[in-house]
Amino acid sequence: MLKKRRATVVALRGLNGRSRRTEKTRAVPRSLPKPICPHNETSSMDFACAVLLPAPLASLPTAAATIAESDPDPELLLLGVSFSTYEKTLIELKEEDDVVFIADESGPFVDRHSDNGCAELSISRARRWRSPISAMIPNIHLPMRSLGVKNRTSVDDIKSLRLITAVKTPYLPDGRFDLEAYDSLIHMQIINGAEGVIVGGTTGEGHLMSWDEHIMLIGHTVNCFGTSIRVIGNTGSNSTGEAVHATEQGFAVGMHAALHINPYYGKTSLEGMVSHFEAVLSMGPTIIYNVPSRTGQDIPPMVIHTILQNPNMAGVKECMGNDRIKGYVDKGIVIWSGNDDECHDSRWAFGATGVISVASNLVPGLMHELMFEGKNPSLNSKLMPLIKWLFQEPNPIGLNTALAQLGVIRPVFRLPYVPLPRARRLEFVRIVESLGCENFIGEKDVEVLDDDDFILVGRY
């Protein structure tokens, strides 16, 4: 015979400065307060008492009730889920010693773990907090989870994206985010056919952001543009703990997918790399990013093949060339080229799904044409001078300089990035004139800018 499960009621001091127990049967009022989260989390409301129901009881369709005093300041509240089910139900609470029985008009609630047909709740006389039964889960390493129905993008939706822009993050003169300019950049990506954006990636200078800034920018992008473009948050880190926490927060604010890099600087073994990715893959659609020039360590195919069995594995942003891409494509793995100068051939000769692009910040329409309208070696050749110019110094130095010259962002740099020298800025003007000003974002004419026009921010 199964033993009875007992739920702890946390009795706190009442709103009028004293605490007491109910002494008689009371009908629950029809006007019920808003319930706390059914996951036994704390509520910001000024309730005098919070009851933490065990999972079996909380899972019952009508497993919720309220103990309330007849006065307007109740001192003991029993909170659960689905209060709307009580609209036409009379609930009575009867106290016998330290046991409260919950019943409705059709009879007592049945707890599947009770052998007497009643859910048994024990009221604690103590005022100190006690750990709820439902908080004791078998695996403490599980990420934070919600039982709410998610309206998330599927992994297959992410796999179908062909043009994803690693979007730039613009700044105000004091180094804070320039959200007005940022919104304009995202809008221009949408109207020119980009299907997704990487928020806070290398190009977006996520490594120069605090995690608060990082998650805020992801949430802002989802809130403003999430119905028009896929938002992929770079929540990767060389610390697995930070990567897990940031990814939890990123999905909590609504991002459609995560981008994850392998641990850099403090490099790990191949087994450690697999464990790192497995720790973050459980939370939602994920793109793995392989860029050894920045991490100092390649993600070999063995690692990708090992984690491929995870249903949240969307694909790989690969920067190791088209031979590597072809090997993955032959095995049915979704790949995005991470190199703008190779993306045309990656897409049309080696089978890549598309590109995660830097150049599309400047010429999204041309990059869309390159990815969607078939082989076009002529257009690819025309874009090569711009792409080579962008990467003559480590990204995003060239992009930051170009966007400032086009007048779509303020000429503000967070250090350690500094603008390209004047000679290179003059070269960019010639590239814009050659490709055609109409193909670049923004409505202003391209400028050279003087050195004094740029603002370098060391503390932000």
Side-chain angles (χ1 to χ4, degrees), residues 259-262 273 277 287-301 303-304 315-321 324 328 335-339 356:
L259 180 73
H260 278 283
I261 203 166
N262 53 304
M273 202 181 295
F277 289 135
I287 297 173
I288 303 299
Y289 180 18
N290 184 32
V291 55
S293 63
R294 290 186 179 271
T295 65
Q297 186 177 26
D298 180 33
I299 305 176
V303 171
I304 299 301
V316 181
K317 176 186 177 183
E318 183 58 69
C319 296
M320 285 295 287
R324 175 74 63 86
Y328 284 138
I335 299 294
W336 293 271
S337 173
N339 300 323
I356 297 179

PDB file of all heavy atoms in Angstrom, residues 259-262 273 277 287-301 303-304 315-321 324 328 335-339 356:
ATOM      1  N   LEU A 259      23.504  30.039 -30.271  1.00  0.00           N
ATOM      2  CA  LEU A 259      24.776  29.804 -30.963  1.00  0.00           C
ATOM      3  C   LEU A 259      25.824  29.500 -29.912  1.00  0.00           C
ATOM      4  O   LEU A 259      25.979  30.278 -28.953  1.00  0.00           O
ATOM      5  CB  LEU A 259      25.180  31.036 -31.779  1.00  0.00           C
ATOM      6  CG  LEU A 259      26.501  30.935 -32.562  1.00  0.00           C
ATOM      7  CD1 LEU A 259      26.316  30.020 -33.778  1.00  0.00           C
ATOM      8  CD2 LEU A 259      26.975  32.316 -33.012  1.00  0.00           C
ATOM      9  N   HIS A 260      26.547  28.377 -30.085  1.00  0.00           N
ATOM     10  CA  HIS A 260      27.521  27.974 -29.074  1.00  0.00           C
ATOM     11  C   HIS A 260      28.878  27.677 -29.696  1.00  0.00           C
ATOM     12  O   HIS A 260      28.992  26.923 -30.662  1.00  0.00           O
ATOM     13  CB  HIS A 260      27.033  26.748 -28.306  1.00  0.00           C
ATOM     14  CG  HIS A 260      26.084  27.094 -27.210  1.00  0.00           C
ATOM     15  ND1 HIS A 260      26.499  27.628 -26.011  1.00  0.00           N
ATOM     16  CD2 HIS A 260      24.727  27.029 -27.154  1.00  0.00           C
ATOM     17  CE1 HIS A 260      25.448  27.851 -25.253  1.00  0.00           C
ATOM     18  NE2 HIS A 260      24.364  27.503 -25.925  1.00  0.00           N
ATOM     19  N   ILE A 261      29.883  28.268 -29.089  1.00  0.00           N
ATOM     20  CA  ILE A 261      31.271  28.074 -29.485  1.00  0.00           C
ATOM     21  C   ILE A 261      31.912  27.054 -28.551  1.00  0.00           C
ATOM     22  O   ILE A 261      31.410  26.802 -27.449  1.00  0.00           O
ATOM     23  CB  ILE A 261      32.011  29.431 -29.427  1.00  0.00           C
ATOM     24  CG1 ILE A 261      33.230  29.433 -30.335  1.00  0.00           C
ATOM     25  CG2 ILE A 261      32.352  29.821 -27.999  1.00  0.00           C
ATOM     26  CD1 ILE A 261      33.792  30.820 -30.575  1.00  0.00           C
ATOM     27  N   ASN A 262      33.006  26.435 -28.979  1.00  0.00           N
ATOM     28  CA  ASN A 262      33.725  25.531 -28.087  1.00  0.00           C
ATOM     29  C   ASN A 262      34.568  26.342 -27.098  1.00  0.00           C
ATOM     30  O   ASN A 262      34.939  27.482 -27.363  1.00  0.00           O
ATOM     31  CB  ASN A 262      34.616  24.572 -28.879  1.00  0.00           C
ATOM     32  CG  ASN A 262      35.541  25.279 -29.844  1.00  0.00           C
ATOM     33  OD1 ASN A 262      35.074  26.042 -30.688  1.00  0.00           O
ATOM     34  ND2 ASN A 262      36.828  25.019 -29.745  1.00  0.00           N
ATOM     35  N   MET A 273      34.820  18.655 -24.585  1.00  0.00           N
ATOM     36  CA  MET A 273      34.081  19.450 -25.556  1.00  0.00           C
ATOM     37  C   MET A 273      32.683  18.856 -25.777  1.00  0.00           C
ATOM     38  O   MET A 273      31.681  19.589 -25.812  1.00  0.00           O
ATOM     39  CB  MET A 273      34.855  19.493 -26.879  1.00  0.00           C
ATOM     40  CG  MET A 273      34.505  20.652 -27.787  1.00  0.00           C
ATOM     41  SD  MET A 273      35.442  20.600 -29.341  1.00  0.00           S
ATOM     42  CE  MET A 273      37.102  20.849 -28.749  1.00  0.00           C
ATOM     43  N   PHE A 277      29.005  20.734 -24.879  1.00  0.00           N
ATOM     44  CA  PHE A 277      27.889  20.935 -25.797  1.00  0.00           C
ATOM     45  C   PHE A 277      26.634  20.196 -25.325  1.00  0.00           C
ATOM     46  O   PHE A 277      25.514  20.709 -25.452  1.00  0.00           O
ATOM     47  CB  PHE A 277      28.272  20.476 -27.202  1.00  0.00           C
ATOM     48  CG  PHE A 277      29.260  21.381 -27.887  1.00  0.00           C
ATOM     49  CD1 PHE A 277      30.349  20.857 -28.571  1.00  0.00           C
ATOM     50  CD2 PHE A 277      29.112  22.759 -27.853  1.00  0.00           C
ATOM     51  CE1 PHE A 277      31.264  21.689 -29.211  1.00  0.00           C
ATOM     52  CE2 PHE A 277      30.024  23.600 -28.479  1.00  0.00           C
ATOM     53  CZ  PHE A 277      31.101  23.057 -29.163  1.00  0.00           C
ATOM     54  N   ILE A 287      22.944  26.004 -32.724  1.00  0.00           N
ATOM     55  CA  ILE A 287      23.939  25.977 -33.795  1.00  0.00           C
ATOM     56  C   ILE A 287      25.319  25.961 -33.144  1.00  0.00           C
ATOM     57  O   ILE A 287      25.613  26.793 -32.282  1.00  0.00           O
ATOM     58  CB  ILE A 287      23.804  27.199 -34.722  1.00  0.00           C
ATOM     59  CG1 ILE A 287      22.440  27.198 -35.425  1.00  0.00           C
ATOM     60  CG2 ILE A 287      24.931  27.223 -35.753  1.00  0.00           C
ATOM     61  CD1 ILE A 287      22.163  28.464 -36.230  1.00  0.00           C
ATOM     62  N   ILE A 288      26.154  25.022 -33.545  1.00  0.00           N
ATOM     63  CA  ILE A 288      27.536  24.959 -33.059  1.00  0.00           C
ATOM     64  C   ILE A 288      28.418  25.786 -33.996  1.00  0.00           C
ATOM     65  O   ILE A 288      28.292  25.701 -35.219  1.00  0.00           O
ATOM     66  CB  ILE A 288      28.032  23.500 -33.004  1.00  0.00           C
ATOM     67  CG1 ILE A 288      27.100  22.662 -32.109  1.00  0.00           C
ATOM     68  CG2 ILE A 288      29.470  23.438 -32.500  1.00  0.00           C
ATOM     69  CD1 ILE A 288      27.013  23.129 -30.682  1.00  0.00           C
ATOM     70  N   TYR A 289      29.320  26.562 -33.409  1.00  0.00           N
ATOM     71  CA  TYR A 289      30.156  27.496 -34.165  1.00  0.00           C
ATOM     72  C   TYR A 289      31.611  27.057 -34.058  1.00  0.00           C
ATOM     73  O   TYR A 289      32.185  27.036 -32.966  1.00  0.00           O
ATOM     74  CB  TYR A 289      29.957  28.901 -33.594  1.00  0.00           C
ATOM     75  CG  TYR A 289      30.739  30.013 -34.248  1.00  0.00           C
ATOM     76  CD1 TYR A 289      31.295  29.884 -35.514  1.00  0.00           C
ATOM     77  CD2 TYR A 289      30.908  31.228 -33.588  1.00  0.00           C
ATOM     78  CE1 TYR A 289      31.997  30.920 -36.098  1.00  0.00           C
ATOM     79  CE2 TYR A 289      31.602  32.275 -34.165  1.00  0.00           C
ATOM     80  CZ  TYR A 289      32.150  32.121 -35.418  1.00  0.00           C
ATOM     81  OH  TYR A 289      32.845  33.148 -36.002  1.00  0.00           O
ATOM     82  N   ASN A 290      32.191  26.713 -35.204  1.00  0.00           N
ATOM     83  CA  ASN A 290      33.590  26.279 -35.229  1.00  0.00           C
ATOM     84  C   ASN A 290      34.447  27.329 -35.920  1.00  0.00           C
ATOM     85  O   ASN A 290      34.364  27.516 -37.133  1.00  0.00           O
ATOM     86  CB  ASN A 290      33.722  24.940 -35.962  1.00  0.00           C
ATOM     87  CG  ASN A 290      35.150  24.415 -35.920  1.00  0.00           C
ATOM     88  OD1 ASN A 290      35.873  24.650 -34.954  1.00  0.00           O
ATOM     89  ND2 ASN A 290      35.559  23.699 -36.960  1.00  0.00           N
ATOM     90  N   VAL A 291      35.290  28.028 -35.146  1.00  0.00           N
ATOM     91  CA  VAL A 291      36.175  29.051 -35.705  1.00  0.00           C
ATOM     92  C   VAL A 291      37.517  28.973 -34.973  1.00  0.00           C
ATOM     93  O   VAL A 291      37.804  29.748 -34.065  1.00  0.00           O
ATOM     94  CB  VAL A 291      35.528  30.457 -35.608  1.00  0.00           C
ATOM     95  CG1 VAL A 291      35.119  30.799 -34.182  1.00  0.00           C
ATOM     96  CG2 VAL A 291      36.429  31.529 -36.221  1.00  0.00           C
ATOM     97  N   PRO A 292      38.373  28.013 -35.383  1.00  0.00           N
ATOM     98  CA  PRO A 292      39.647  27.801 -34.678  1.00  0.00           C
ATOM     99  C   PRO A 292      40.543  29.031 -34.639  1.00  0.00           C
ATOM    100  O   PRO A 292      41.372  29.151 -33.726  1.00  0.00           O
ATOM    101  CB  PRO A 292      40.290  26.659 -35.477  1.00  0.00           C
ATOM    102  CG  PRO A 292      39.149  25.966 -36.145  1.00  0.00           C
ATOM    103  CD  PRO A 292      38.160  27.039 -36.457  1.00  0.00           C
ATOM    104  N   SER A 293      40.423  29.939 -35.612  1.00  0.00           N
ATOM    105  CA  SER A 293      41.273  31.137 -35.605  1.00  0.00           C
ATOM    106  C   SER A 293      41.015  31.996 -34.373  1.00  0.00           C
ATOM    107  O   SER A 293      41.877  32.781 -33.969  1.00  0.00           O
ATOM    108  CB  SER A 293      41.024  31.958 -36.873  1.00  0.00           C
ATOM    109  OG  SER A 293      39.686  32.427 -36.925  1.00  0.00           O
ATOM    110  N   ARG A 294      39.841  31.855 -33.765  1.00  0.00           N
ATOM    111  CA  ARG A 294      39.533  32.623 -32.564  1.00  0.00           C
ATOM    112  C   ARG A 294      39.608  31.782 -31.289  1.00  0.00           C
ATOM    113  O   ARG A 294      40.007  32.289 -30.240  1.00  0.00           O
ATOM    114  CB  ARG A 294      38.131  33.245 -32.681  1.00  0.00           C
ATOM    115  CG  ARG A 294      38.062  34.359 -33.711  1.00  0.00           C
ATOM    116  CD  ARG A 294      36.711  35.045 -33.711  1.00  0.00           C
ATOM    117  NE  ARG A 294      36.665  36.123 -34.700  1.00  0.00           N
ATOM    118  CZ  ARG A 294      37.019  37.377 -34.473  1.00  0.00           C
ATOM    119  NH1 ARG A 294      37.468  37.734 -33.281  1.00  0.00           N
ATOM    120  NH2 ARG A 294      36.939  38.302 -35.425  1.00  0.00           N
ATOM    121  N   THR A 295      39.228  30.515 -31.368  1.00  0.00           N
ATOM    122  CA  THR A 295      39.224  29.691 -30.159  1.00  0.00           C
ATOM    123  C   THR A 295      40.555  29.006 -29.903  1.00  0.00           C
ATOM    124  O   THR A 295      40.842  28.603 -28.781  1.00  0.00           O
ATOM    125  CB  THR A 295      38.142  28.602 -30.259  1.00  0.00           C
ATOM    126  OG1 THR A 295      38.484  27.712 -31.324  1.00  0.00           O
ATOM    127  CG2 THR A 295      36.773  29.213 -30.515  1.00  0.00           C
ATOM    128  N   GLY A 296      41.358  28.858 -30.951  1.00  0.00           N
ATOM    129  CA  GLY A 296      42.612  28.140 -30.808  1.00  0.00           C
ATOM    130  C   GLY A 296      42.454  26.635 -30.823  1.00  0.00           C
ATOM    131  O   GLY A 296      43.420  25.904 -30.583  1.00  0.00           O
ATOM    132  N   GLN A 297      41.237  26.142 -31.106  1.00  0.00           N
ATOM    133  CA  GLN A 297      41.009  24.699 -31.093  1.00  0.00           C
ATOM    134  C   GLN A 297      39.897  24.356 -32.071  1.00  0.00           C
ATOM    135  O   GLN A 297      38.802  24.927 -32.023  1.00  0.00           O
ATOM    136  CB  GLN A 297      40.628  24.232 -29.684  1.00  0.00           C
ATOM    137  CG  GLN A 297      40.511  22.724 -29.537  1.00  0.00           C
ATOM    138  CD  GLN A 297      40.195  22.322 -28.112  1.00  0.00           C
ATOM    139  OE1 GLN A 297      39.617  23.075 -27.339  1.00  0.00           O
ATOM    140  NE2 GLN A 297      40.597  21.107 -27.736  1.00  0.00           N
ATOM    141  N   ASP A 298      40.178  23.428 -32.953  1.00  0.00           N
ATOM    142  CA  ASP A 298      39.189  22.980 -33.925  1.00  0.00           C
ATOM    143  C   ASP A 298      38.160  22.073 -33.252  1.00  0.00           C
ATOM    144  O   ASP A 298      38.477  21.351 -32.299  1.00  0.00           O
ATOM    145  CB  ASP A 298      39.911  22.221 -35.045  1.00  0.00           C
ATOM    146  CG  ASP A 298      38.974  21.713 -36.120  1.00  0.00           C
ATOM    147  OD1 ASP A 298      37.962  22.394 -36.391  1.00  0.00           O
ATOM    148  OD2 ASP A 298      39.251  20.645 -36.694  1.00  0.00           O
ATOM    149  N   ILE A 299      36.926  22.145 -33.726  1.00  0.00           N
ATOM    150  CA  ILE A 299      35.917  21.147 -33.342  1.00  0.00           C
ATOM    151  C   ILE A 299      35.933  20.079 -34.429  1.00  0.00           C
ATOM    152  O   ILE A 299      35.392  20.288 -35.523  1.00  0.00           O
ATOM    153  CB  ILE A 299      34.510  21.770 -33.245  1.00  0.00           C
ATOM    154  CG1 ILE A 299      34.495  22.958 -32.290  1.00  0.00           C
ATOM    155  CG2 ILE A 299      33.495  20.709 -32.794  1.00  0.00           C
ATOM    156  CD1 ILE A 299      33.162  23.683 -32.231  1.00  0.00           C
ATOM    157  N   PRO A 300      36.540  18.947 -34.195  1.00  0.00           N
ATOM    158  CA  PRO A 300      36.676  17.937 -35.257  1.00  0.00           C
ATOM    159  C   PRO A 300      35.349  17.247 -35.541  1.00  0.00           C
ATOM    160  O   PRO A 300      34.428  17.265 -34.716  1.00  0.00           O
ATOM    161  CB  PRO A 300      37.699  16.956 -34.674  1.00  0.00           C
ATOM    162  CG  PRO A 300      37.550  17.090 -33.198  1.00  0.00           C
ATOM    163  CD  PRO A 300      37.187  18.517 -32.931  1.00  0.00           C
ATOM    164  N   PRO A 301      35.221  16.617 -36.700  1.00  0.00           N
ATOM    165  CA  PRO A 301      33.970  15.926 -37.046  1.00  0.00           C
ATOM    166  C   PRO A 301      33.531  14.895 -36.020  1.00  0.00           C
ATOM    167  O   PRO A 301      32.336  14.678 -35.823  1.00  0.00           O
ATOM    168  CB  PRO A 301      34.304  15.273 -38.391  1.00  0.00           C
ATOM    169  CG  PRO A 301      35.337  16.176 -38.996  1.00  0.00           C
ATOM    170  CD  PRO A 301      36.167  16.642 -37.843  1.00  0.00           C
ATOM    171  N   VAL A 303      33.492  15.075 -32.843  1.00  0.00           N
ATOM    172  CA  VAL A 303      32.665  15.732 -31.821  1.00  0.00           C
ATOM    173  C   VAL A 303      31.272  16.010 -32.367  1.00  0.00           C
ATOM    174  O   VAL A 303      30.253  15.756 -31.708  1.00  0.00           O
ATOM    175  CB  VAL A 303      33.336  17.034 -31.339  1.00  0.00           C
ATOM    176  CG1 VAL A 303      32.394  17.833 -30.436  1.00  0.00           C
ATOM    177  CG2 VAL A 303      34.629  16.729 -30.601  1.00  0.00           C
ATOM    178  N   ILE A 304      31.210  16.551 -33.587  1.00  0.00           N
ATOM    179  CA  ILE A 304      29.915  16.865 -34.192  1.00  0.00           C
ATOM    180  C   ILE A 304      29.078  15.595 -34.365  1.00  0.00           C
ATOM    181  O   ILE A 304      27.877  15.584 -34.068  1.00  0.00           O
ATOM    182  CB  ILE A 304      30.107  17.573 -35.542  1.00  0.00           C
ATOM    183  CG1 ILE A 304      30.872  18.895 -35.355  1.00  0.00           C
ATOM    184  CG2 ILE A 304      28.763  17.812 -36.214  1.00  0.00           C
ATOM    185  CD1 ILE A 304      30.199  19.884 -34.437  1.00  0.00           C
ATOM    186  N   GLY A 315      22.683  22.436 -36.458  1.00  0.00           N
ATOM    187  CA  GLY A 315      23.726  22.390 -37.469  1.00  0.00           C
ATOM    188  C   GLY A 315      24.981  23.092 -37.001  1.00  0.00           C
ATOM    189  O   GLY A 315      25.127  23.404 -35.814  1.00  0.00           O
ATOM    190  N   VAL A 316      25.870  23.364 -37.942  1.00  0.00           N
ATOM    191  CA  VAL A 316      27.192  23.900 -37.623  1.00  0.00           C
ATOM    192  C   VAL A 316      27.483  25.122 -38.485  1.00  0.00           C
ATOM    193  O   VAL A 316      27.252  25.104 -39.703  1.00  0.00           O
ATOM    194  CB  VAL A 316      28.296  22.841 -37.860  1.00  0.00           C
ATOM    195  CG1 VAL A 316      29.669  23.402 -37.488  1.00  0.00           C
ATOM    196  CG2 VAL A 316      27.995  21.574 -37.078  1.00  0.00           C
ATOM    197  N   LYS A 317      27.956  26.170 -37.845  1.00  0.00           N
ATOM    198  CA  LYS A 317      28.580  27.278 -38.573  1.00  0.00           C
ATOM    199  C   LYS A 317      30.056  26.931 -38.689  1.00  0.00           C
ATOM    200  O   LYS A 317      30.782  26.923 -37.705  1.00  0.00           O
ATOM    201  CB  LYS A 317      28.394  28.603 -37.839  1.00  0.00           C
ATOM    202  CG  LYS A 317      29.102  29.779 -38.512  1.00  0.00           C
ATOM    203  CD  LYS A 317      29.017  31.055 -37.693  1.00  0.00           C
ATOM    204  CE  LYS A 317      29.806  32.186 -38.363  1.00  0.00           C
ATOM    205  NZ  LYS A 317      29.797  33.429 -37.561  1.00  0.00           N
ATOM    206  N   GLU A 318      30.495  26.638 -39.905  1.00  0.00           N
ATOM    207  CA  GLU A 318      31.830  26.072 -40.126  1.00  0.00           C
ATOM    208  C   GLU A 318      32.733  27.063 -40.846  1.00  0.00           C
ATOM    209  O   GLU A 318      32.368  27.595 -41.894  1.00  0.00           O
ATOM    210  CB  GLU A 318      31.708  24.787 -40.943  1.00  0.00           C
ATOM    211  CG  GLU A 318      33.012  24.067 -41.171  1.00  0.00           C
ATOM    212  CD  GLU A 318      33.703  23.688 -39.879  1.00  0.00           C
ATOM    213  OE1 GLU A 318      33.198  22.801 -39.164  1.00  0.00           O
ATOM    214  OE2 GLU A 318      34.758  24.309 -39.593  1.00  0.00           O
ATOM    215  N   CYS A 319      33.907  27.287 -40.242  1.00  0.00           N
ATOM    216  CA  CYS A 319      34.878  28.220 -40.826  1.00  0.00           C
ATOM    217  C   CYS A 319      36.144  27.520 -41.310  1.00  0.00           C
ATOM    218  O   CYS A 319      37.142  28.186 -41.614  1.00  0.00           O
ATOM    219  CB  CYS A 319      35.256  29.287 -39.801  1.00  0.00           C
ATOM    220  SG  CYS A 319      33.890  30.359 -39.298  1.00  0.00           S
ATOM    221  N   MET A 320      36.114  26.196 -41.397  1.00  0.00           N
ATOM    222  CA  MET A 320      37.303  25.438 -41.771  1.00  0.00           C
ATOM    223  C   MET A 320      37.356  25.085 -43.257  1.00  0.00           C
ATOM    224  O   MET A 320      38.132  24.228 -43.666  1.00  0.00           O
ATOM    225  CB  MET A 320      37.397  24.165 -40.927  1.00  0.00           C
ATOM    226  CG  MET A 320      37.853  24.428 -39.504  1.00  0.00           C
ATOM    227  SD  MET A 320      39.547  25.075 -39.447  1.00  0.00           S
ATOM    228  CE  MET A 320      40.476  23.612 -39.837  1.00  0.00           C
ATOM    229  N   GLY A 321      36.542  25.722 -44.073  1.00  0.00           N
ATOM    230  CA  GLY A 321      36.662  25.545 -45.512  1.00  0.00           C
ATOM    231  C   GLY A 321      35.658  24.583 -46.101  1.00  0.00           C
ATOM    232  O   GLY A 321      34.949  23.846 -45.404  1.00  0.00           O
ATOM    233  N   ARG A 324      35.701  20.569 -45.528  1.00  0.00           N
ATOM    234  CA  ARG A 324      35.044  20.156 -44.287  1.00  0.00           C
ATOM    235  C   ARG A 324      33.526  20.219 -44.461  1.00  0.00           C
ATOM    236  O   ARG A 324      32.801  19.327 -44.019  1.00  0.00           O
ATOM    237  CB  ARG A 324      35.502  21.055 -43.135  1.00  0.00           C
ATOM    238  CG  ARG A 324      34.805  20.825 -41.801  1.00  0.00           C
ATOM    239  CD  ARG A 324      35.234  19.568 -41.084  1.00  0.00           C
ATOM    240  NE  ARG A 324      36.632  19.569 -40.711  1.00  0.00           N
ATOM    241  CZ  ARG A 324      37.118  20.096 -39.575  1.00  0.00           C
ATOM    242  NH1 ARG A 324      36.309  20.669 -38.705  1.00  0.00           N
ATOM    243  NH2 ARG A 324      38.408  20.033 -39.315  1.00  0.00           N
ATOM    244  N   TYR A 328      30.548  17.108 -44.140  1.00  0.00           N
ATOM    245  CA  TYR A 328      29.346  17.147 -43.312  1.00  0.00           C
ATOM    246  C   TYR A 328      28.088  16.978 -44.154  1.00  0.00           C
ATOM    247  O   TYR A 328      27.167  16.240 -43.795  1.00  0.00           O
ATOM    248  CB  TYR A 328      29.270  18.465 -42.543  1.00  0.00           C
ATOM    249  CG  TYR A 328      30.206  18.553 -41.358  1.00  0.00           C
ATOM    250  CD1 TYR A 328      30.918  19.716 -41.084  1.00  0.00           C
ATOM    251  CD2 TYR A 328      30.362  17.472 -40.491  1.00  0.00           C
ATOM    252  CE1 TYR A 328      31.771  19.813 -39.998  1.00  0.00           C
ATOM    253  CE2 TYR A 328      31.215  17.550 -39.394  1.00  0.00           C
ATOM    254  CZ  TYR A 328      31.911  18.717 -39.157  1.00  0.00           C
ATOM    255  OH  TYR A 328      32.744  18.796 -38.068  1.00  0.00           O
ATOM    256  N   ILE A 335      24.804  22.739 -42.596  1.00  0.00           N
ATOM    257  CA  ILE A 335      26.001  23.552 -42.433  1.00  0.00           C
ATOM    258  C   ILE A 335      25.743  24.953 -42.979  1.00  0.00           C
ATOM    259  O   ILE A 335      25.122  25.135 -44.030  1.00  0.00           O
ATOM    260  CB  ILE A 335      27.203  22.939 -43.185  1.00  0.00           C
ATOM    261  CG1 ILE A 335      27.519  21.543 -42.644  1.00  0.00           C
ATOM    262  CG2 ILE A 335      28.434  23.837 -43.078  1.00  0.00           C
ATOM    263  CD1 ILE A 335      28.009  21.529 -41.210  1.00  0.00           C
ATOM    264  N   TRP A 336      26.238  25.938 -42.231  1.00  0.00           N
ATOM    265  CA  TRP A 336      26.307  27.308 -42.731  1.00  0.00           C
ATOM    266  C   TRP A 336      27.772  27.696 -42.867  1.00  0.00           C
ATOM    267  O   TRP A 336      28.575  27.442 -41.972  1.00  0.00           O
ATOM    268  CB  TRP A 336      25.639  28.284 -41.764  1.00  0.00           C
ATOM    269  CG  TRP A 336      24.164  28.113 -41.655  1.00  0.00           C
ATOM    270  CD1 TRP A 336      23.190  28.704 -42.404  1.00  0.00           C
ATOM    271  CD2 TRP A 336      23.478  27.273 -40.713  1.00  0.00           C
ATOM    272  NE1 TRP A 336      21.947  28.305 -42.001  1.00  0.00           N
ATOM    273  CE2 TRP A 336      22.091  27.408 -40.954  1.00  0.00           C
ATOM    274  CE3 TRP A 336      23.889  26.415 -39.693  1.00  0.00           C
ATOM    275  CZ2 TRP A 336      21.131  26.737 -40.217  1.00  0.00           C
ATOM    276  CZ3 TRP A 336      22.936  25.738 -38.957  1.00  0.00           C
ATOM    277  CH2 TRP A 336      21.570  25.892 -39.229  1.00  0.00           C
ATOM    278  N   SER A 337      28.104  28.316 -43.980  1.00  0.00           N
ATOM    279  CA  SER A 337      29.464  28.823 -44.137  1.00  0.00           C
ATOM    280  C   SER A 337      29.670  30.000 -43.187  1.00  0.00           C
ATOM    281  O   SER A 337      28.805  30.871 -43.070  1.00  0.00           O
ATOM    282  CB  SER A 337      29.698  29.268 -45.585  1.00  0.00           C
ATOM    283  OG  SER A 337      30.967  29.899 -45.700  1.00  0.00           O
ATOM    284  N   GLY A 338      30.816  30.007 -42.532  1.00  0.00           N
ATOM    285  CA  GLY A 338      31.154  31.135 -41.669  1.00  0.00           C
ATOM    286  C   GLY A 338      32.102  32.103 -42.334  1.00  0.00           C
ATOM    287  O   GLY A 338      32.587  33.041 -41.687  1.00  0.00           O
ATOM    288  N   ASN A 339      32.370  31.908 -43.631  1.00  0.00           N
ATOM    289  CA  ASN A 339      33.313  32.752 -44.365  1.00  0.00           C
ATOM    290  C   ASN A 339      32.606  33.388 -45.562  1.00  0.00           C
ATOM    291  O   ASN A 339      32.185  32.680 -46.482  1.00  0.00           O
ATOM    292  CB  ASN A 339      34.512  31.924 -44.853  1.00  0.00           C
ATOM    293  CG  ASN A 339      35.278  31.287 -43.709  1.00  0.00           C
ATOM    294  OD1 ASN A 339      35.429  31.875 -42.638  1.00  0.00           O
ATOM    295  ND2 ASN A 339      35.743  30.069 -43.925  1.00  0.00           N
ATOM    296  N   ILE A 356      26.242  32.452 -42.505  1.00  0.00           N
ATOM    297  CA  ILE A 356      26.109  33.402 -41.397  1.00  0.00           C
ATOM    298  C   ILE A 356      27.108  34.501 -41.697  1.00  0.00           C
ATOM    299  O   ILE A 356      28.321  34.303 -41.599  1.00  0.00           O
ATOM    300  CB  ILE A 356      26.354  32.735 -40.039  1.00  0.00           C
ATOM    301  CG1 ILE A 356      25.288  31.652 -39.808  1.00  0.00           C
ATOM    302  CG2 ILE A 356      26.318  33.763 -38.918  1.00  0.00           C
ATOM    303  CD1 ILE A 356      25.435  30.893 -38.508  1.00  0.00           C
TER     304      ILE A 356
END
